[in-house]
Amino acid sequence: MIKKNLNDATKILESSFRVGNFKDAKNDFLKFLKISDTNFTDKVAILALSVFVSNKDSFYQKNFNIFFEAILKNAEFESEVKFDEEGLKLFESKQGRFDNNLPRSLEDIFKMVDEFYRFVISKELEYIKNIKEKKEFFQKLTNKIEKIKAEKGYIMHIGYGGGLNAMSVFSVLSDNVKREFAKVITKHPGTIPPISRRYLIDEEEKPISPIGWIKVELR
């Protein structure tokens, strides 16, 4: 069952983002998206975070912390992102058209990314809805998201700490499929992964913030 679900998910992704020979990366839609390194050089610090675990029986904080290098809150940096629309048109004229649901401009790409990560955040809010000490800071995050929406910005998660939902398409799978995966990827069969989260902590080791969330503005 698990192998079948993996194969089905792979086929869906390949058929959505590739044309012709799905196994050939040269036929991948994302090759038309070109991203440069950032100009970021400062406002980096060593921060502490902790792992919190929730399952059907308990909620607890693991007895160790993780220290990692991170960009500080409110830091700004730039990166050049290009979408080769002309290259895409030329490719499709010779190799066939990609899925009609795929975006056809840089703005549409970021709208799709923004929609996905808002969905991820909605799942995070569901996860902590009964955990009082976390609900407050995730509610603050929700308020910030609405502000970004009004300012015509886009939400993204980058780097470490987002977990399975933020780093993959796992969050859009059905609960039944997720439970099948749980038999392999967690020690808690029957649960819906991920069951742990990584949060920045304060001096009293209380959770104060998720990590890795940024606002993107196109210029």
Side-chain angles (χ1 to χ4, degrees):
M1 173 66 77
I2 295 173
K3 185 176 181 180
K4 180 180 183 301
N5 285 329
L6 278 171
N7 289 336
D8 289 348
T10 300
K11 288 178 181 177
I12 290 172
L13 288 173
E14 287 178 343
S15 63
S16 296
F17 288 93
R18 293 182 178 178
V19 295
N21 181 1
F22 293 160
K23 300 297 182 182
D24 192 343
K26 294 194 296 294
N27 296 336
D28 198 306
F29 178 83
L30 293 178
K31 76 176 186 176
F32 299 102
L33 183 65
K34 306 179 188 302
I35 305 173
S36 73
D37 292 334
T38 72
N39 65 346
F40 191 82
T41 56
D42 59 0
K43 294 187 179 178
V44 174
I46 303 298
L47 303 175
L49 59 85
S50 190
V51 178
F52 296 81
V53 179
S54 175
N55 58 43
K56 61 183 179 180
D57 300 316
S58 63
F59 174 80
Y60 60 93
Q61 181 177 356
K62 289 194 173 182
N63 60 355
F64 64 88
N65 295 333
I66 301 169
F67 295 90
F68 71 111
E69 187 177 54
I71 300 168
L72 291 176
K73 179 180 178 181
N74 296 326
E76 293 187 4
F77 55 93
E78 293 183 358
S79 179
E80 187 174 39
V81 182
K82 295 181 178 179
F83 183 62
D84 187 1
E85 296 182 44
E86 293 303 316
L88 174 62
K89 292 177 182 177
L90 179 61
F91 177 90
E92 289 187 322
S93 70
K94 297 179 180 297
Q95 300 294 332
R97 187 173 174 83
F98 287 101
D99 190 305
N100 288 329
N101 292 317
L102 290 178
R104 300 282 159 171
S105 68
L106 193 59
E107 289 78 8
D108 287 342
I109 288 174
F110 276 101
K111 286 178 183 178
M112 182 176 286
V113 170
D114 180 81
E115 182 181 356
F116 171 74
Y117 280 117
R118 288 178 191 275
F119 177 76
V120 170
I121 290 174
S122 72
K123 291 299 181 182
E124 293 300 297
L125 287 169
E126 289 180 14
Y127 172 83
I128 49 86
K129 64 183 178 182
N130 295 319
I131 305 172
K132 183 177 179 180
E133 61 269 31
K134 289 183 180 53
K135 190 171 185 178
E136 181 179 353
F137 79 77
F138 260 101
Q139 190 59 53
K140 288 181 180 178
L141 178 61
T142 302
N143 294 338
K144 289 180 180 178
I145 291 168
E146 291 305 314
K147 182 179 179 182
I148 290 171
K149 186 177 179 180
E151 295 174 349
K152 298 182 180 179
Y154 304 99
I155 287 290
M156 274 186 66
H157 187 279
I158 60 172
Y160 173 75
L164 187 61
N165 286 332
M167 303 298 289
S168 72
V169 295
F170 190 81
S171 61
V172 300
L173 300 177
S174 70
D175 286 348
N176 288 337
V177 173
K178 290 177 182 178
R179 289 190 179 95
E180 289 296 322
F181 279 113
K183 296 175 182 178
V184 176
I185 65 177
T186 79
K187 297 179 181 179
H188 307 279
T191 61
I192 296 179
I195 62 171
S196 65
R197 299 294 191 280
R198 290 170 174 80
Y199 299 135
L200 285 177
I201 54 176
D202 60 18
E203 294 178 353
E204 299 179 351
E205 298 196 353
K206 298 294 184 182
I208 56 174
S209 176
I211 62 173
W213 292 96
I214 65 171
K215 171 188 172 182
V216 177
E217 294 180 349
L218 299 183
R219 298 175 181 174

